[in-house]
């Protein structure tokens, strides 16, 4: 049989690949788009974001996917508590799966592994090879990405049923008024209904190893400390995400590699929080509106990713301050200091849109950590 030929192939149906399918099928219904994803589309995730993370012209892409929304959130630190008015949203991966399956006919979703790929051909583990006018690789990051110097953000989350009510009205995006021995540690809570709350124990760490059972015990202890009687544990998710302190973009994505990348595989995530939804939405909009959907896509996508990398210099500096200028029990002070700043600045930071003035304000004043170690972290190569 001659190889099947398609207009465009997307490898990996995670957040970035799924959003790319939705944006592309809407803007270009004439195209024959194929998605290659061996497991569930979107995997097992909750993706949260602030409404200001998404530009107005991209809002229609994510709006139908949102499962939970709140008009504000809270943060808690040992010496500072604050309520913020920024709206907060959560998407469940099942919603992305449904939307992608509604956008693409079943024969355009291939449950297979791409074993290797180029800008125009995709061999699958079944032995079949697909040919395409354009290929986009959104297969996620490897466990040890080359060219990046990382710390790690590790977490485990569970949806708890509390029949007597948990009493939360809005998310607590960071509750860092918890033990900080393995800092920076915080608990993240999303009230899904008066009796259901998603609770995630998160900590920044020098190593990527994760012991989910340990974090599950911490969630149980946190629930008990809140006085919650938990009768059921539903959804569970866990993850180990890179916090990028420095790196070399040319090693991460060599200029000789012409296969177009998107999502975290292209480095399109926030260096400090590791969140990728704002970038995945922007990338999907760019792909549908402005990108060349042919073999030249690799060069255009690399150029876009390189500009994102350059914009991330300041966030990588903050990541170094967190990991290198402060001992684990003191790391929370950097975030406590950050959360005393004006709310619009905080919104721009999470959206990856900090201005020069924002950066000056974030670093202004007496550092909440060792001045000598902060200065050394600032001098390091980005
Ligand atoms: C549990 C968890 C929660 C997170 N929460 C948030 C959040 O709230 N907000 C936020 O902005 N970010 C969050 N992140 C970070 C980031 O947004 C996610 O990691 C996001 O899913 C990355 O999207 P992606 O599509 O680039 O990669 P992935 O979601 O990792 O998708 C890669 C896809 O490629 C597929 N694949 C792999 N190999 C092959 C192959 N050979 N052939 C074909 N397909 C293949 C995989 O099966 C997978 O579906 C979270 C991460 C995790 C792990």
């Amino acid at each position: 049989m001659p190889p099947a030929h398609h207009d465009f192939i997307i490898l990996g149906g995670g957040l970035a690949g799924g959003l790319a399918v939705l944006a592309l099928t809407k803007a270009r219904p004439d195209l024959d788009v194929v998605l290659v994803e061996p497991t569930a589309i979107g995997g097992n995730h909750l993706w949260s974001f602030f409404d200001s993370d998404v530009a107005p012209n991209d809002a229609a892409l994510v709006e139908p996917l949102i499962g939970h929304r709140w008009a504000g959130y809270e943060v808690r630190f040992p010496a500072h508590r604050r309520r913020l008015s920024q709206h907060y949203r959560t998407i469940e991966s099942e919603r992305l799966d449904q939307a992608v399956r509604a956008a693409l006919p079943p024969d355009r979703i291939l449950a297979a592994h791409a074993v290797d790929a180029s800008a125009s051909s995709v061999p699958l583990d079944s032995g079949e090879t697909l040919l395409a006018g354009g290929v986009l690789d959104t297969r996620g990051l490897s466990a040890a990405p080359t060219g990046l110097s990382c710390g790690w953000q590790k977490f485990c989350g569970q949806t708890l049923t509390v029949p007597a009510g948990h009493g939360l009205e809005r998310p607590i995006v960071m509750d860092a008024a918890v033990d900080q021995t393995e800092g920076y540690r915080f608990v993240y809570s999303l009230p899904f209904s008066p009796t259901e709350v998603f609770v995630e124990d998160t900590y920044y760490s020098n190593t990527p190893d994760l012991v989910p059972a340990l974090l599950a015990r911490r969630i149980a202890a946190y629930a008990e400390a809140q006085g919650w009687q938990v009768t059921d544990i539903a959804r569970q998710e866990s993850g180990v995400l890179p916090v990028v302190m420095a790196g070399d973009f040319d090693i991460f994505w060599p200029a000789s590699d012409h296969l177009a990348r998107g999502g975290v595989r292209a480095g399109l995530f926030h260096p400090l929080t590791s969140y990728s939804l704002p970038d995945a939405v922007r990338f999907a909009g760019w792909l549908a509106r402005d990108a060349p959907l042919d073999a030249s896509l690799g060069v255009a996508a690399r150029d876009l990713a390189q500009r994102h990398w350059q914009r991330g210099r300041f966030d990588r500096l903050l990541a170094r301050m967190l990991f290198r200028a402060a001992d684990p029990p003191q790391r929370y002070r950097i975030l406590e200091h950050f959360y005393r700043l004006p709310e619009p600045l905080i919104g721009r930071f999470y959206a990856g849109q900090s201005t020069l003035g924002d950066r000056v304000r974030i670093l202004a004043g007496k550092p909440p950590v060792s001045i000598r170690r902060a200065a050394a972290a600032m001098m390091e190569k980005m």
Side-chain angles (χ1 to χ4, degrees):
M1 283 246 298
H5 190 283
H6 302 278
D7 291 330
F8 198 74
I9 300 179
I10 298 173
L11 310 179
L15 178 65
L19 290 174
V21 167
L22 297 181
L24 216 47
T25 49
K26 186 142 193 252
R28 299 287 309 274
D30 53 305
L31 289 183
D32 149 27
V33 175
V34 164
L35 175 67
V36 180
E37 169 54 57
T39 62
I41 294 170
N44 170 25
H45 288 99
L46 292 175
W47 294 292
S48 298
F49 60 103
F50 299 101
D51 59 352
S52 56
D53 289 348
V54 174
N57 63 341
D58 289 327
L61 181 63
V62 286
E63 193 56 32
L65 303 174
I66 296 171
H68 303 278
R69 49 186 88 223
W70 301 270
Y73 70 102
E74 268 179 55
V75 291
R76 297 178 182 177
F77 293 93
H80 178 59
R81 277 187 173 208
R82 187 168 174 191
R83 200 182 273 187
L84 295 101
S85 60
Q86 188 80 255
H87 289 204
Y88 202 61
R89 317 289 188 216
T90 296
I91 292 174
E92 285 152 337
S93 45
E94 294 79 0
R95 265 311 244 271
L96 181 68
D97 181 276
Q98 285 161 13
V100 170
R101 290 184 194 284
L104 278 183
D107 63 338
R108 301 275 179 78
I109 303 176
L110 306 185
H113 279 92
V115 285
D116 201 359
S118 74
S120 57
S121 99
V122 178
L124 302 177
D125 56 353
S126 60
E128 187 187 357
T129 294
L130 310 176
L131 301 179
V135 179
L136 175 67
D137 184 2
T138 58
R139 284 178 290 173
L141 265 188
S142 68
T146 52
L148 304 182
S149 164
C150 301
W152 306 93
Q153 185 192 158
K154 307 193 273 204
F155 53 88
C156 179
Q158 298 176 336
T159 303
L160 310 180
T161 303
V162 187
H166 48 68
L168 296 181
E169 287 173 9
R170 60 190 69 77
I172 305 173
V173 166
M174 286 177 182
D175 183 352
V178 292
D179 178 59
Q180 292 291 323
T181 315
E182 284 180 90
Y184 172 58
R185 177 178 162 234
F186 61 90
V187 179
Y188 167 79
S189 300
L190 299 175
F192 287 161
S193 75
T195 56
E196 265 193 326
V197 58
F198 177 78
V199 179
E200 195 155 76
D201 196 279
T202 301
Y203 65 110
Y204 280 66
S205 165
N206 297 332
T207 59
D209 52 298
L210 174 73
V211 185
L214 169 73
L215 273 68
R217 282 198 294 278
R218 288 183 186 164
I219 293 171
Y222 184 81
E224 199 181 328
Q226 310 308 306
W228 299 337
Q229 298 279 340
V230 177
T231 57
D232 192 27
I233 297 173
R235 166 180 218 121
Q236 301 214 38
E237 68 168 31
S238 61
V240 179
L241 303 177
V243 178
V244 183
M245 294 184 283
D248 184 337
F249 184 79
D250 291 323
I251 295 176
F252 175 70
W253 185 348
S256 56
D257 180 357
H258 291 153
L259 174 59
R261 301 184 194 177
V264 295
R265 198 171 186 88
L268 295 173
F269 56 93
H270 195 294
L272 185 62
T273 66
S274 221
Y275 272 23
S276 75
L277 187 133
D279 292 300
V281 173
R282 277 194 283 271
F283 184 88
W286 171 78
L287 189 74
R289 287 190 289 265
D290 303 315
L293 300 179
D294 55 27
S296 69
L297 179 64
V299 173
R302 186 177 182 278
D303 187 47
L304 183 142
Q306 191 167 27
R307 278 184 273 124
H308 173 82
W309 172 263
Q310 284 157 355
R311 279 197 304 275
R313 281 169 75 93
F314 178 74
D315 301 314
R316 293 194 291 278
L317 162 67
L318 291 182
R320 289 201 298 281
M321 299 258 289
L322 190 68
F323 278 99
R324 297 192 180 149
D327 291 326
Q330 305 303 325
R331 285 177 181 161
Y332 77 89
R333 291 177 186 278
I334 293 177
L335 278 298
E336 194 176 55
H337 168 77
F338 172 75
Y339 264 107
R340 291 182 192 275
L341 295 170
E343 199 170 340
L345 178 154
I346 294 169
R348 288 192 292 274
F349 173 79
Y350 282 117
Q353 312 276 341
S354 295
T355 64
L356 186 60
D358 292 344
R359 290 168 187 177
V360 170
R361 288 216 57 184
I362 290 171
L363 291 179
K366 182 176 173 297
V369 292
S370 150
I371 294 178
R372 183 182 53 77
R373 287 168 63 184
M378 287 175 86
M379 299 306 284
E380 263 183 66
K381 192 170 176 284
M382 314 234 179

